[in-house]
Amino acid sequence: MNALAKSSLLALLLPAILPLAWPPQGEPVRQSFPEFAGTLRGRVVDVDGKPLANLALTLFEGRDAELLFHAVATGRSADDGRFELRGADALAGHCIGVDLDGPRRQMRHVEVSLQSGRAVDLGDVALPATTKLRGTIVDEQGHGIGGARVRVLPPYERDMFALANWFLGPILGAGLHTARADDLVISSRGGRSSASPLSPIAREFFEHPPVPVATTAADGSFEVETSAPGEVLLLVDHPRYVATMGTALVERGAIAQADPITLAAGATIEGKIAGPGSAAGLFVWVGAFETKQRARTTVGRFAGVTGPDGHFSIGAVPEDAALVVAAARSRAGPFFLAGPFQSAPLDITLPASIDLFVDVVDSSDHPLPDAEVSLLDPASGELPEVTRLEPATQSAVTEHDGNVRVARGLSPTPVVVVARSAGRVTSSETVDLGDGTGSPRSVKLQLATARAFAIQVVDSTTKRPLKGASARLVVGDREWALPPTDEQGSATLAGLPLDFVADDARAAATVFVFHPLALPAQVPCAKELATPSAGPIEIALEAARTLRGRVVVHGAPPTKPMLLRVAAYDLPRGTDFDLEPQRIARVAADGTFALSGLATGKRSFDLLVRAPQQALFDVRFYGPDGPRLFFEGELVVPEDPEREVTIDATPLGEREGIAIHGTIHRTGGSPSGLLVTAYTSGGELQATSSTDGAFAFTGIKGGRVSLEIADSNDKTYSKLATKEIELSAGGSAEVVIDLHSTPLDVSPRWPDGTPAWATHVSINRAEDRNYTQCWGDVEQDGLAHFELSGSEKWLVRVERFDEGHGRRNFTLPLDENPCVIPMVRCVPCAGRVEFDGDAPGGTVWQMYVGECAIAVDPRDRRFKAFDVVPGVHTARLDGAHWSARWSHEFQVDEVGSTDLVVRFKKDEH
């Protein structure tokens, strides 16, 4: 799969994540349209082509690697179904939400790249029909449950939700379907816990989700209107029951009846909070970390308010779960966390609370509202630690008078108070909260005005100023966005607080500039940052090319409607974007196309087949409802803008050329269903062996061809053999491949003997540990199934995020199968590095401890990691411009190390 396809796969989660960007009611939508913005037009119709009037439409967009799109325009369809959405950024990706609060809810990805200052007609947007769905929610005794919430995900959303829940499940253990508006997000990692309320946008989504929703009547019945036809997913939850999911099949023109869905009561947990002062009236949340999932984050469900004696309780808690309790005087925090607890009752003692008042003012002693105030540990520079209980909110925002009160439950220890405000120099002060008095403390911080940073963007050929360019200034790990350039091509960042950026990071300062009609540029700017009086930096952008040409299949225009997608340009070195910039255009009926915004030179591309009347397509890259990959390859964007290119999209197997006929003979397994991949000079072909082991390829050019045979399924991939053959022009080639494979089941297990679910397994030949022969994931039975061939000695590596590692060397044949891999739990590890002699230079240090790669800050030589295995280690330290150094042996304890010192030898090894 090429980079374009991989980029598209990142968009798979959009429908599951995008609802978090659903604009809260009353939130202003952008109304100012930059000159390079485009307009989207189209018509909303039903499956029979009848216009749909007065349907709400929302245009979402995200620039660069933003998966969390934001709303930029709204509108409604007219009586004839037509709509127009203005103000779309030509550089961004776009989705259109149709009828988001109604039964026809659709979230579709715009298929074509927009053009600056032009309108793009999307054609007809056909929405599926709707039908009524009825059902009943019952308890374990079969009695109806009133007040249960039922959310209905149509077929399109169902698949996206399932993928997102699978992808996020190991991280968000409780699942997406359990969250409500008053819940918290609770994280537990490396022995530390933290909590934060849902964002306003997320809270709005859970209170008013943009999907069909019903609330059950007293008898547990519900009725809702949803899209049809297909299988819909029902998300069911109730405050007193464990949330669950169900499915129902809906058909067009008929009322659908879902099977009864049962909610389990779960366990009821009792707890009591005590501490200095009254424990009554505390807001309490309980998060459950299910043991078998070993998740790092879960939903903290609201348990209510403590009674006069500090008592609280919560029902519908999953069995066999570790519990973390969050408590606060207000819903907004700060939060005090206790746990994890393995059993009830939950007895919690709060530490003494100290009120810290912070005043933030400017150089003239005038109050600064909306300044961010945060607290840090003076030793580590991280969030303050406490014993068992940790305040999870370490920041607040000043009021209109510049004052903020941060109620803390800290142990007697100093804290660093840090104040920041846009356009001002950061200020900090260390305050000793543990003076023994317990009395409120106050501190006043003064923020001076920071310096300005300016650029001027021009055309590299004509030197004319370019309006509407966007720019980002990156200094170390800090980043600032400049406003779009004006008529003179100028943009100024009014205040640049560089005081907290180290000198070595500032030396690598770079400004990145983008424009829809030009290629991006990156310009070092360390010298300008070091000179406060320096004028604006002139940045010249090269104009992008427009590529014109024709697509042919067997020498004629393609018979199917297609989209051409091309990698627009190479990202500037140093950018941290995950999505490769792309340009997409329709291929006309005569095979012609025109695509702007490209760099010259070799570019990867692919051709996608779409439905004949499909103006928008699903973000799913595969499946019957989305675009289908037809052909992929590389093309050259010429320097001459008048020169056209021809793309021969005739499938490789249908071209004239040499045929390969092969037979697989397999000892120890069936030769049927094996994946055979042919790597040729013209591209990559795949075939599946038949029941007798036969396979064939046609249309291959002469030259060297590499065949790879693999046993593959949706969980594991096992390379069984490779064979190199040389093809001469004309004729065909006969290939016979003899295989002898040995089945291997890998069973990773934690120290208590339980299976390590959701672990990733890789198997390497012992003589070549850099070559991975097999890989895959552990299935629900606790096993990962592989086939081994071609060697006797092997190394198995197993990894479960940052929770644990395992490895084992073995020799075939095995005495037992499955092969049990003991897992060692990872522990948190933090400290600093020291040296026998002078420290090396450079701005990037990377330390390797066993299987763990750890970043070390060269400025203070400190490091922190969460996936180090306990035991005796020798570390390796790498830099950009010096040879690796090796450390003396050091010990990592079973519970982790927070003040570890790793000393490196003077001599290089």
Side-chain angles (χ1 to χ4, degrees):
M1 187 187 306
N2 64 19
L4 292 173
K6 293 178 181 177
S7 297
S8 296
L9 290 175
L10 290 176
L12 284 168
L13 299 182
L14 274 176
I17 300 174
L18 194 54
L20 298 182
W22 173 241
Q25 296 182 9
E27 178 178 310
V29 177
R30 187 182 71 196
Q31 297 297 332
S32 59
F33 309 127
E35 185 176 287
F36 55 86
T39 298
L40 293 174
R41 295 172 181 165
R43 189 175 71 134
V44 185
V45 299
D46 62 15
V47 291
D48 298 322
K50 179 182 177 181
L52 296 174
N54 201 35
L55 282 185
L57 297 102
T58 304
L59 176 64
F60 297 92
E61 73 180 19
R63 203 165 188 177
D64 304 322
E66 298 171 5
L67 287 182
L68 191 61
F69 285 18
H70 57 280
V72 295
T74 59
R76 286 189 175 273
S77 57
D79 292 341
D80 60 357
R82 295 195 175 277
F83 65 88
E84 181 175 291
L85 299 171
R86 300 175 57 224
D89 185 345
L91 278 180
H94 297 90
C95 283
I96 292 183
V98 184
D99 196 28
L100 291 183
D101 55 354
R104 296 181 181 274
R105 178 184 192 271
Q106 295 287 301
M107 187 73 72
R108 296 299 179 88
H109 194 232
V110 176
E111 67 169 11
V112 294
S113 298
L114 303 185
Q115 301 295 321
S116 301
R118 297 182 182 179
V120 174
D121 195 328
L122 300 175
D124 285 350
V125 181
L127 301 185
T130 63
T131 190
K132 292 185 183 300
L133 171 66
R134 295 171 180 169
T136 306
I137 309 301
V138 299
D139 61 19
E140 293 167 294
Q141 288 73 44
H143 302 141
I145 299 175
R149 179 177 63 170
V150 183
R151 289 173 288 175
V152 183
L153 273 66
Y156 168 79
E157 303 293 343
R158 177 205 63 200
D159 296 343
M160 294 301 96
F161 177 87
L163 178 63
N165 223 22
W166 169 82
F167 183 78
L168 299 175
I171 303 171
L172 187 60
L176 301 176
H177 59 284
T178 64
R180 283 179 172 263
D182 52 6
D183 289 339
L184 296 179
V185 177
I186 297 179
S187 299
S188 181
R189 181 174 180 177
R192 295 176 57 123
S193 298
S194 62
S196 59
L198 295 174
S199 68
I201 291 178
R203 189 178 302 111
E204 175 69 20
F205 165 69
F206 290 119
E207 289 177 352
H208 306 287
V211 295
V213 181
T215 302
T216 57
D219 62 353
S221 63
F222 69 89
E223 180 179 289
V224 66
E225 191 173 2
T226 184
S227 299
E231 187 180 56
V232 300
L233 180 67
L234 306 178
L235 309 182
V236 185
D237 64 298
H238 190 285
R240 296 195 302 273
Y241 296 87
V242 179
T244 190
M245 295 182 287
T247 59
L249 184 64
V250 296
E251 298 180 0
R252 185 179 181 185
I255 297 178
Q257 183 68 43
D259 294 332
I261 297 176
T262 302
L263 293 182
T268 297
I269 300 297
E270 305 283 336
K272 186 175 182 180
I273 299 178
S278 173
L282 292 175
F283 294 89
V284 179
W285 295 262
V286 177
F289 292 86
E290 295 185 46
T291 304
K292 69 177 183 179
Q293 289 180 311
R294 307 192 186 281
R296 299 193 302 250
T297 304
T298 191
V299 172
R301 292 175 47 230
F302 183 55
V305 179
T306 56
D309 60 349
H311 177 268
F312 68 91
S313 65
I314 186 172
V317 177
E319 305 286 351
D320 189 29
L323 304 179
V324 174
V325 178
R329 297 285 178 187
S330 72
R331 288 183 180 270
F335 304 100
F336 299 91
L337 280 87
F341 299 96
Q342 299 296 333
S343 61
L346 312 180
D347 293 323
I348 301 168
T349 301
L350 297 178
S353 178
I354 299 176
D355 285 349
L356 175 63
F357 295 87
V358 181
D359 279 296
V360 183
V361 299
D362 61 16
S363 303
S364 302
D365 221 29
H366 296 143
L368 282 178
D370 299 324
E372 179 188 356
V373 178
S374 56
L375 304 181
L376 300 177
D377 185 297
S380 66
E382 301 290 337
L383 304 180
E385 299 253 15
V386 295
T387 303
R388 284 183 62 81
L389 294 154
E390 180 183 341
T393 301
Q394 272 81 17
S395 65
V397 177
T398 56
E399 303 292 341
H400 66 279
D401 59 356
N403 182 265
V404 66
R405 182 179 69 176
V406 186
R408 309 304 304 169
L410 299 172
S411 301
T413 180
V415 295
V416 179
V417 184
V418 183
R420 293 187 175 94
S421 183
R424 296 186 177 274
V425 179
T426 301
S427 179
S428 64
E429 183 175 327
T430 301
V431 181
D432 187 3
L433 297 178
D435 60 358
T437 65
S439 58
R441 304 299 305 274
S442 63
V443 62
K444 184 176 182 180
L445 297 176
Q446 191 175 71
L447 305 186
T449 302
R451 56 156 297 185
F453 175 78
I455 62 172
Q456 185 179 35
V457 181
V458 299
D459 184 295
S460 61
T461 303
T462 65
K463 298 302 180 181
R464 292 180 179 178
L466 290 177
K467 179 185 177 182
S470 62
R472 298 180 182 181
L473 173 65
V474 179
V475 184
D477 60 353
R478 304 287 296 182
E479 180 177 319
W480 295 269
L482 279 73
T485 54
D486 57 19
E487 298 283 355
Q488 287 73 43
S490 300
T492 300
L493 186 63
L496 189 59
L498 287 173
D499 57 295
F500 56 90
V501 179
D503 290 339
D504 53 354
R506 197 178 305 178
T510 306
V511 59
F512 298 92
V513 184
F514 301 86
H515 191 279
L517 302 180
L519 301 181
Q522 65 176 73
V523 178
C525 56
K527 180 179 178 181
E528 288 76 10
L529 290 179
T531 309
S533 59
I537 303 174
E538 183 176 296
I539 300 173
L541 298 185
E542 179 186 351
R545 296 295 192 272
T546 295
L547 177 68
R548 292 179 173 84
R550 183 182 303 272
V551 176
V552 296
V553 179
H554 293 294
T559 58
K560 301 175 182 178
M562 291 189 177
L563 299 171
L564 172 63
R565 180 172 59 183
V566 179
Y569 49 79
D570 298 324
L571 285 172
R573 185 179 179 182
T575 51
D576 192 25
F577 306 143
D578 296 324
L579 295 181
E580 185 176 19
Q582 303 171 8
R583 295 290 181 264
I584 303 176
R586 284 192 182 98
V587 177
D590 62 356
T592 59
F593 64 85
L595 201 57
S596 61
L598 303 178
T600 58
K602 186 178 292 186
R603 316 241 59 86
S604 60
F605 76 91
D606 52 29
L607 283 162
L608 309 174
V609 177
R610 63 182 180 90
Q613 301 301 323
Q614 196 172 20
L616 305 174
F617 67 79
D618 290 339
V619 294
R620 285 178 295 178
F621 190 78
Y622 300 105
D625 299 327
R628 179 173 58 86
L629 178 64
F630 179 80
F631 190 84
E632 60 184 355
E634 289 186 336
L635 54 79
V636 175
V637 179
E639 293 281 354
D640 182 1
E642 301 301 321
R643 180 183 172 187
E644 296 188 351
V645 301
T646 298
I647 298 176
D648 184 358
T650 306
L652 294 179
E654 300 176 12
R655 299 184 181 186
E656 294 184 1
I658 305 171
I660 297 178
H661 299 280
T663 304
I664 300 174
H665 298 155
R666 186 179 187 185
T667 303
S670 171
S672 174
L674 298 179
L675 179 65
V676 184
T677 305
Y679 297 97
T680 77
S681 60
E684 175 184 321
L685 292 171
Q686 288 187 332
T688 302
S689 61
S690 61
T691 54
D692 59 355
F695 65 90
F697 298 106
T698 59
I700 298 178
K701 295 180 179 180
R704 181 173 294 274
V705 176
S706 176
L707 298 178
E708 179 181 283
I709 294 86
D711 193 331
S712 175
N713 55 50
D714 61 345
K715 287 290 185 181
T716 59
Y717 187 95
S718 302
K719 297 179 184 178
L720 299 180
T722 59
K723 188 176 184 68
E724 301 285 336
I725 58 176
E726 191 75 29
L727 299 180
S728 57
S732 62
E734 300 288 337
V735 179
V736 177
I737 299 175
D738 294 314
L739 291 180
H740 177 81
S741 62
T742 303
L744 174 70
D745 297 333
V746 177
S747 175
R749 294 190 173 271
W750 297 108
D752 60 4
T754 58
W757 286 280
T759 51
H760 182 73
V761 181
S762 60
I763 303 178
N764 302 69
R765 297 173 182 171
E767 63 270 19
D768 186 4
R769 297 190 176 188
N770 293 323
Y771 178 77
T772 302
Q773 183 86 4
C774 309
W775 62 87
D777 297 319
V778 175
E779 300 183 25
Q780 290 298 320
D781 60 0
L783 300 175
H785 308 280
F786 299 98
E787 293 283 337
L788 299 184
S789 176
S791 182
E792 294 182 352
K793 297 182 179 181
W794 300 88
L795 168 66
V796 180
R797 292 187 178 97
V798 183
E799 181 179 9
R800 172 63 169 84
F801 294 105
D802 56 5
E803 297 289 335
H805 298 281
R807 59 186 295 159
R808 176 180 173 182
N809 290 284
F810 65 92
T811 302
L812 294 179
L814 279 174
D815 295 332
E816 78 285 341
N817 192 32
C819 176
V820 177
I821 310 295
M823 296 287 289
V824 180
R825 291 197 179 280
C826 298
V827 295
C829 183
R832 59 179 281 114
V833 300
E834 295 182 355
F835 299 91
D836 296 341
D838 296 335
T843 60
V844 178
W845 292 357
Q846 191 82 359
M847 181 169 66
Y848 296 89
V849 179
E851 302 284 339
C852 178
I854 306 171
V856 180
D857 191 334
R859 294 168 293 184
D860 56 12
R861 304 181 186 179
R862 300 197 67 85
F863 63 86
K864 176 175 286 189
F866 295 95
D867 53 354
V868 179
V869 174
V872 178
H873 295 279
T874 299
R876 185 181 91 238
L877 186 69
D878 288 349
H881 305 293
W882 40 272
S883 302
R885 295 197 180 186
W886 295 83
S887 75
H888 301 278
E889 288 187 346
F890 59 93
Q891 175 80 35
V892 176
D893 299 333
E894 294 291 334
V895 295
S897 303
T898 58
D899 56 354
L900 184 66
V901 175
V902 180
R903 179 171 288 276
F904 286 87
K905 301 175 183 178
K906 184 176 182 180
D907 57 319
E908 298 178 354
H909 182 75

